[in-house]
Short mmCIF file of all heavy atoms in Angstrom, two decimals:
data_model
loop_
_atom_site.label_atom_id
_atom_site.label_comp_id
_atom_site.label_asym_id
_atom_site.label_seq_id
_atom_site.Cartn_x
_atom_site.Cartn_y
_atom_site.Cartn_z
N MET B 65 -35.04 4.12 2.87
CA MET B 65 -33.67 3.64 2.72
C MET B 65 -32.66 4.77 2.91
O MET B 65 -31.60 4.60 3.45
CB MET B 65 -33.47 3.01 1.35
CG MET B 65 -34.35 1.81 1.09
SD MET B 65 -34.10 0.50 2.27
CE MET B 65 -32.55 -0.18 1.71
N SER B 66 -32.99 5.94 2.41
CA SER B 66 -32.06 7.07 2.52
C SER B 66 -32.81 8.38 2.31
O SER B 66 -33.94 8.39 1.84
CB SER B 66 -30.97 6.94 1.46
OG SER B 66 -31.54 7.05 0.18
N ILE B 67 -32.14 9.45 2.68
CA ILE B 67 -32.69 10.78 2.44
C ILE B 67 -31.99 11.34 1.20
O ILE B 67 -30.77 11.27 1.10
CB ILE B 67 -32.43 11.68 3.68
CG1 ILE B 67 -33.34 11.28 4.84
CG2 ILE B 67 -32.62 13.16 3.35
CD1 ILE B 67 -34.80 11.64 4.69
N ASP B 68 -32.76 11.88 0.28
CA ASP B 68 -32.17 12.39 -0.97
C ASP B 68 -31.77 13.85 -0.89
O ASP B 68 -30.96 14.32 -1.69
CB ASP B 68 -33.17 12.21 -2.12
CG ASP B 68 -33.48 10.75 -2.37
OD1 ASP B 68 -32.53 9.99 -2.61
OD2 ASP B 68 -34.65 10.37 -2.31
N MET B 69 -32.38 14.58 0.04
CA MET B 69 -32.09 16.01 0.13
C MET B 69 -32.53 16.52 1.50
O MET B 69 -33.52 16.04 2.04
CB MET B 69 -32.87 16.75 -0.97
CG MET B 69 -32.39 18.14 -1.27
SD MET B 69 -33.48 18.98 -2.48
CE MET B 69 -33.40 17.93 -3.89
N ILE B 70 -31.75 17.45 2.04
CA ILE B 70 -32.14 18.08 3.31
C ILE B 70 -32.38 19.56 3.02
O ILE B 70 -31.56 20.22 2.40
CB ILE B 70 -31.04 17.91 4.38
CG1 ILE B 70 -30.84 16.43 4.72
CG2 ILE B 70 -31.40 18.69 5.65
CD1 ILE B 70 -29.66 16.15 5.62
N VAL B 71 -33.52 20.06 3.46
CA VAL B 71 -33.83 21.49 3.35
C VAL B 71 -33.94 22.00 4.78
O VAL B 71 -34.84 21.60 5.52
CB VAL B 71 -35.14 21.74 2.58
CG1 VAL B 71 -35.45 23.23 2.51
CG2 VAL B 71 -35.08 21.15 1.19
N SER B 72 -32.99 22.83 5.18
CA SER B 72 -32.94 23.23 6.59
C SER B 72 -32.88 24.73 6.79
O SER B 72 -32.18 25.44 6.07
CB SER B 72 -31.72 22.58 7.26
OG SER B 72 -31.57 23.04 8.58
N ASN B 73 -33.60 25.17 7.80
CA ASN B 73 -33.49 26.55 8.25
C ASN B 73 -32.13 26.69 8.95
O ASN B 73 -31.54 25.70 9.38
CB ASN B 73 -34.62 26.84 9.24
CG ASN B 73 -34.71 28.29 9.63
OD1 ASN B 73 -34.24 29.18 8.92
ND2 ASN B 73 -35.32 28.55 10.77
N TRP B 74 -31.61 27.93 9.03
CA TRP B 74 -30.32 28.13 9.70
C TRP B 74 -30.53 28.33 11.20
O TRP B 74 -30.08 27.55 12.03
CB TRP B 74 -29.59 29.34 9.10
CG TRP B 74 -28.22 29.58 9.63
CD1 TRP B 74 -27.81 29.47 10.93
CD2 TRP B 74 -27.05 29.94 8.89
NE1 TRP B 74 -26.48 29.76 11.04
CE2 TRP B 74 -25.99 30.05 9.81
CE3 TRP B 74 -26.81 30.19 7.54
CZ2 TRP B 74 -24.70 30.41 9.42
CZ3 TRP B 74 -25.53 30.56 7.16
CH2 TRP B 74 -24.48 30.66 8.09
N GLN B 75 -31.27 29.40 11.54
CA GLN B 75 -31.36 29.74 12.97
C GLN B 75 -32.41 28.89 13.68
O GLN B 75 -33.61 29.03 13.44
CB GLN B 75 -31.71 31.23 13.13
CG GLN B 75 -31.71 31.64 14.59
CD GLN B 75 -31.61 33.13 14.78
OE1 GLN B 75 -30.92 33.82 14.03
NE2 GLN B 75 -32.29 33.64 15.77
N MET B 76 -31.94 28.01 14.52
CA MET B 76 -32.82 27.15 15.32
C MET B 76 -32.12 26.88 16.64
O MET B 76 -30.91 27.01 16.75
CB MET B 76 -33.05 25.82 14.60
CG MET B 76 -33.81 25.91 13.30
SD MET B 76 -34.03 24.32 12.52
CE MET B 76 -32.38 23.93 11.98
#
Side-chain angles (χ1 to χ4, degrees):
Chain B
M65 299 301 284
S66 65
I67 287 288
D68 297 304
M69 197 185 300
I70 296 172
V71 179
S72 174
N73 188 22
W74 184 319
Q75 184 162 324
M76 294 179 290

